[in-house]
Amino acid sequence: MNPMKTVAAAALASTFATVVFAANPMVGGAPMLETKNIVENAVNSADHTTLVAAVKAAGLVDTLQSDGPFTVFAPVNMAFAALPDGTVETLLKPENKGMLTKVLTAHVVAGDWSAADIAAKARAASDGFYHFKAVSGDALSAQVKGDNLYIYDENGNAGKVTIADVDQSNGVIHVVDAVLVPK
C-alpha cells in the first residue's frame, strides 16, 4: 500500500468528518446531529427546555419524531419568558391542550425549508414578504432585513431567526427569538 495515498486518504477523511460535523451549529450548548430527529435534538438544547415541555404537554412528541419533513421555527426559553405573565403556565394546563397545540403547530411548516430558500422567496415577492401556512393552518410571513431573516405571525409579531439551518433527520430547525402566536 502506498503510504502517501494512505496519508492523503486519512487527511481527506479527517477533513470530510470535520466538514460534516461543522455543518450543523451548536444550539443551547449542545451539538445538533443530522442523524437525530427534531425531538431527539431539541431535548439536548438548554435554550429550548420550555419548548420541549410544551411539546410533551401538547402530545406532539410522536408527530415531531415522525418522518416529516418539517421546518420548525423553535422559540428559545427567553421568547416564552417574554410572553405576558402566566401565559406559559396557562398554556401548559391540561384543559388548554388544544390551545397549546395550536400555538406550537403555528411554528411548524411542512417540508424542509432552508433559510436561504425562505429568504429567496421573500426577496422575490412584490411586497417583500413570503407568505406561507403553518401546519396549524395559520398564516406566517417571512421578510429579509439586512442580513437577517424574520418570521411574522398573524398578529404582525416578528421572530428573528438567530440560528438557521439546523438540519435534522426529519427536517430542519430555525431558532427564533419570539413565540409566533396565532389569532
Side-chain angles (χ1 to χ4, degrees):
M1 184 171 222
N2 183 334
M4 290 305 287
K5 282 186 179 179
T6 304
V7 169
L12 182 61
S14 175
T15 301
F16 181 69
T18 301
V19 169
V20 170
F21 180 74
N24 253 357
M26 299 270 287
V27 176
M32 298 288 114
L33 305 176
E34 292 179 34
T35 56
K36 293 188 175 189
N37 66 47
I38 290 165
V39 174
E40 290 170 332
N41 274 322
V43 298
N44 293 318
S45 169
D47 292 342
H48 290 91
T49 56
T50 304
L51 178 62
V52 169
V55 166
K56 289 177 180 177
L60 293 173
V61 170
D62 288 343
T63 300
L64 292 176
Q65 286 184 326
S66 69
D67 290 341
F70 304 106
T71 298
V72 177
F73 300 103
V76 293
N77 294 338
M78 290 179 69
F80 284 101
L83 293 172
D85 286 345
T87 301
V88 173
E89 294 77 12
T90 299
L91 286 171
L92 291 176
K93 290 181 180 178
E95 62 268 24
N96 295 325
K97 183 177 178 180
M99 188 179 356
L100 176 61
T101 300
K102 181 156 177 72
V103 168
L104 293 175
T105 56
H107 292 80
V108 181
V109 177
D112 190 337
W113 287 86
S114 72
D117 290 342
I118 297 168
K121 294 266 190 192
R123 285 186 185 106
S126 61
D127 65 354
F129 287 90
Y130 172 52
H131 303 284
F132 54 109
K133 294 273 185 198
V135 297
S136 64
D138 296 287
L140 295 175
S141 299
Q143 181 185 39
V144 178
K145 292 181 183 177
D147 292 336
N148 297 308
L149 178 63
Y150 290 85
I151 307 300
Y152 290 81
D153 63 23
E154 292 179 325
N155 300 298
N157 301 312
K160 178 181 171 184
V161 175
T162 58
I163 302 174
D165 300 325
V166 186
D167 293 322
Q168 316 288 301
S169 65
N170 62 342
V172 63
I173 289 175
H174 303 292
V175 177
V176 293
D177 66 357
V179 176
L180 307 172
V181 182
K183 284 189 176 179

